[in-house]
Amino acid sequence: RRRRRERPGQGSRGKHRQGFVADAIASQRARQLMAFTFVVRLEAMKFHARIGILPHEAELAQPLEIDVSAWVTRDENAEGSEGVLDYRRVYGIVSAIVAADHIMYLEDLAAAVADQTLWIDGVERVVVSARKPQVALPGPLAFAQVTLERARNG
């Protein structure tokens, strides 16, 4: 009885080896494509700003609190500060917007902060909350707040 000669890669050893190589390649590709998403939060940043639609709000600064959450994608193979969000940049964005001029609405403030934060490399999504803790209303109130969520387009 003659034993049939197997072609390379077709015997039981060959099939095992092909599967092992395919798994190793797939695993390597997965690692290359794998990224981590971190949420960087700056909460309750406190400023005094001219914000609001009432005449005195255009002249006198009032307390303002701002929260920013930024979703940052970082590749698994990144080293050092690569792919890390320097939260001083986010604070600088907020500070510059608040100091720039009279702001009519919390919505405008939140939109400006979100838009500029999304320009930072690696930031995929952002949530901004802006609060006025001293609101002129006829009853007790802890604060008025607006929250905006934005993400990069594809």
Side-chain angles (χ1 to χ4, degrees):
R1 209 180 216 200
R2 274 193 176 184
R3 194 166 190 202
R4 192 172 142 201
R5 193 167 176 201
E6 296 176 6
R7 292 185 191 160
Q10 285 190 344
S12 61
R13 276 188 170 168
K15 287 180 184 176
H16 177 71
R17 182 165 294 155
Q18 281 181 333
F20 178 78
V21 171
D23 289 346
I25 291 170
S27 176
Q28 181 180 13
R29 284 187 184 147
R31 279 194 308 273
Q32 288 172 345
L33 298 175
M34 188 178 292
F36 298 104
T37 301
F38 295 93
V39 181
V40 177
R41 290 190 165 104
L42 281 72
E43 295 187 1
M45 292 180 276
K46 296 180 187 320
F47 300 94
H48 277 78
R50 295 179 300 125
I51 185 165
I53 59 172
L54 300 176
H56 73 276
E57 292 176 319
E59 300 299 321
L60 300 172
Q62 59 184 302
L64 183 66
E65 291 185 5
I66 300 172
D67 305 331
V68 177
S69 297
W71 279 252
V72 182
T73 302
R74 185 172 195 227
D75 184 87
E76 177 185 283
N77 298 319
E79 295 179 2
S81 64
E82 181 184 352
V84 172
L85 176 61
D86 182 349
Y87 46 82
R88 294 173 297 182
R89 287 186 66 188
V90 176
Y91 188 91
I93 287 169
V94 175
S95 180
I97 290 169
V98 167
D101 202 3
H102 171 240
I103 303 162
M104 294 290 285
Y105 299 100
L106 290 172
E107 290 86 347
D108 296 334
L109 171 64
V113 170
D115 289 346
Q116 289 191 30
T117 302
L118 282 170
W119 278 101
I120 299 173
D121 285 339
V123 175
E124 299 296 325
R125 179 176 157 222
V126 65
V127 174
V128 178
S129 294
R131 277 182 302 288
K132 287 173 64 174
Q134 295 177 1
V135 182
L137 290 176
L141 178 74
F143 54 82
Q145 176 173 294
V146 168
T147 300
L148 172 68
E149 180 177 344
R150 285 218 172 132
R152 285 184 191 241
N153 295 333

